[in-house]
C-alpha cells in the first residue's frame, strides 16, 4: 500500500526555537495533506488542510502564524512550529490522500507521527 | 458540523471472546463514509474497516465487522475471536468527501486479557 513518512520521528527543542516537521508521500502524489495533533490519551484533532500550491486552511483556534504549513510539492508538506513553547509539546500526525486511489471514502494514508517535546 | 461520539473510554475482553465497540455520529449528509482505525502503542494509525453510507450491507474484514444503522446514526465495531494483538486505541471516524479530513471520536482503549 501507499506509504507516508514523517521526519523526524521525535524531536526535543528549547522553548522559543522553531521546529520543522516533514511529511512525504513516498510512492504517490498527494494533492491534499492533513495535519493532526494528538495529546496524550486524546483523539486526533485536525489542525489544517494543506493543498499543493495554495495556502493551507486552518481549523478554528489554530494559530496560522505559529504553525506554518507549506505544501510546496505533490510529495512534501512541512509543518513548522515557530517559537515553540512547552504547551506545543504533542504528537503531530500527517495524512495524505492519493487522488488516483479512488473516489471519496478511499483511505487516507497516515504518517507514523512526530513526537515533539519543548523544554 | 459533524460529530462522532464514542461513549466507551475503555473496554476489556478475554482472548478468543467477542467485543463490540460503540460509535454514534451526527450528520445532515446522506452520503458519507465511516471508518474504524486502530492505534497501537506505536501510534501508527491503521485502518481496520470502512463503510460507505449508501451501502446497506455491513462491511466485514476477517474478524472485524460493523453494525451500521444509518437511521440511528450508529456504527459499532465487532471484534470476534479477540487476540492479544488487538489491544489498542480504536477510533471511529467520519468523512464527508475526499477534500475533507477525517473527523474522529475520542477513542476507546481496548484491553485484551489472556
Amino acid at each position: 500500500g501507499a506509504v507516508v513518512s514523517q521526519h523526524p520521528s521525535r524531536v526535543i527543542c528549547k522553548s522559543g526555537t522553531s521546529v520543522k516537521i516533514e511529511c512525504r508521500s513516498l510512492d504517490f502524489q498527494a494533492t491534499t495533506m492533513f495535519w493532526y495533533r494528538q495529546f496524550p490519551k486524546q483523539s486526533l484533532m485536525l489542525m489544517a488542510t494543506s493543498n499543493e500550491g495554495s495556502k493551507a486552511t486552518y481549523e478554528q483556534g489554530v494559530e496560522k502564524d505559529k504553525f506554518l504549513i507549506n505544501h510546496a510539492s505533490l510529495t512534501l508538506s512541512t509543518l513548522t512550529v515557530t517559537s515553540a513553547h512547552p504547551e506545543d509539546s504533542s504528537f503531530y500526525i500527517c495524512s495524505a490522500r492519493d487522488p488516483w486511489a479512488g473516489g471519496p471514502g478511499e483511505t487516507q494514508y497516515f504518517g507514523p507521527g512526530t513526537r515533539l517535546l519543548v523544554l | 458540523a459533524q460529530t462522532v461520539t464514542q461513549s466507551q473510554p475503555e473496554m476489556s475482553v478475554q482472548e478468543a471472546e467477542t467485543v463490540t465497540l460503540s460509535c454514534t455520529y451526527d450528520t445532515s449528509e446522506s452520503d458519507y463514509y465511516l471508518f474504524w482505525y486502530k492505534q497501537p502503542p506505536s501510534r501508527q494509525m491503521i485502518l481496520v474497516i470502512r463503510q460507505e453510507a449508501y451501502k446497506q450491507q455491513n462491511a466485514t474484514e476477517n474478524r472485524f465487522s460493523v453494525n451500521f444503522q444509518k437511521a440511528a446514526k450508529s456504527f459499532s465495531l465487532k471484534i470476534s475471536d479477540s487476540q492479544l494483538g488487538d489491544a489498542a486505541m480504536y477510533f471511529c471516524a467520519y468523512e464527508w468527501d475526499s477534500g475533507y479530513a477525517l473527523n474522529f471520536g475520542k477513542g476507546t482503549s481496548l484491553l485484551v486479557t489472556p
Side-chain angles (χ1 to χ4, degrees):
Chain A
V3 176
V4 175
S5 70
Q6 279 186 244
H7 177 79
S9 59
R10 56 182 67 186
V11 58
I12 301 173
C13 70
K14 292 183 179 180
S15 184
T17 62
S18 295
V19 174
K20 180 183 285 188
I21 301 170
E22 294 185 345
C23 175
R24 292 183 185 272
S25 55
L26 297 186
D27 49 4
F28 67 98
Q29 293 178 316
T31 52
T32 302
M33 290 183 172
F34 303 98
W35 286 96
Y36 298 86
R37 179 165 56 182
Q38 185 180 29
F39 291 109
K41 299 187 178 181
Q42 294 189 23
S43 187
L44 283 73
M45 298 301 296
L46 179 67
M47 299 177 66
T49 301
S50 170
N51 292 301
E52 187 269 339
S54 62
K55 290 184 178 180
T57 302
Y58 290 83
E59 293 300 297
Q60 192 171 9
V62 177
E63 301 174 58
K64 61 180 67 176
D65 293 332
K66 181 170 187 61
F67 298 99
L68 300 179
I69 292 172
N70 186 353
H71 194 157
S73 78
L74 287 170
T75 60
L76 173 65
S77 177
T78 61
L79 167 66
T80 302
V81 183
T82 62
S83 186
H85 291 285
E87 57 266 30
D88 298 324
S89 298
S90 188
F91 191 65
Y92 293 87
I93 304 175
C94 73
S95 70
R97 187 177 299 283
D98 180 353
W100 298 106
E106 292 300 323
T107 310
Q108 284 190 35
Y109 302 105
F110 282 88
T114 295
R115 208 177 298 261
L116 170 63
L117 177 61
V118 185
L119 302 177
Chain B
Q2 296 85 11
T3 57
V4 179
T5 302
Q6 293 179 250
S7 59
Q8 305 156 316
E10 295 180 350
M11 290 285 285
S12 181
V13 63
Q14 277 195 315
E15 207 174 358
E17 296 297 309
T18 296
V19 64
T20 299
L21 307 184
S22 301
C23 173
T24 59
Y25 59 93
D26 184 28
T27 184
S28 58
E29 304 296 331
S30 58
D31 291 330
Y32 48 88
Y33 305 84
L34 297 165
F35 306 83
W36 279 98
Y37 277 89
K38 172 185 178 181
Q39 188 180 43
S42 68
R43 302 187 81 171
Q44 173 72 57
M45 297 294 285
I46 301 168
L47 177 65
V48 175
I49 201 165
R50 169 176 51 227
Q51 174 80 42
E52 293 93 336
Y54 62 86
K55 289 186 176 179
Q56 293 185 338
Q57 186 174 7
N58 290 325
T60 62
E61 287 288 342
N62 300 313
R63 297 183 295 107
F64 299 88
S65 62
V66 298
N67 183 3
F68 173 49
Q69 302 290 327
K70 190 173 183 178
K73 296 181 181 175
S74 171
F75 183 61
S76 60
L77 174 69
K78 185 171 80 171
I79 306 174
S80 304
D81 186 25
S82 297
Q83 300 174 0
L84 294 177
D86 294 333
M89 281 292 291
Y90 286 81
F91 292 100
C92 179
Y94 168 102
E95 179 191 274
W96 173 42
D97 196 0
S98 58
Y100 295 84
L102 293 167
N103 192 356
F104 289 93
K106 290 188 174 182
T108 297
S109 177
L110 179 65
L111 175 66
V112 182
T113 56

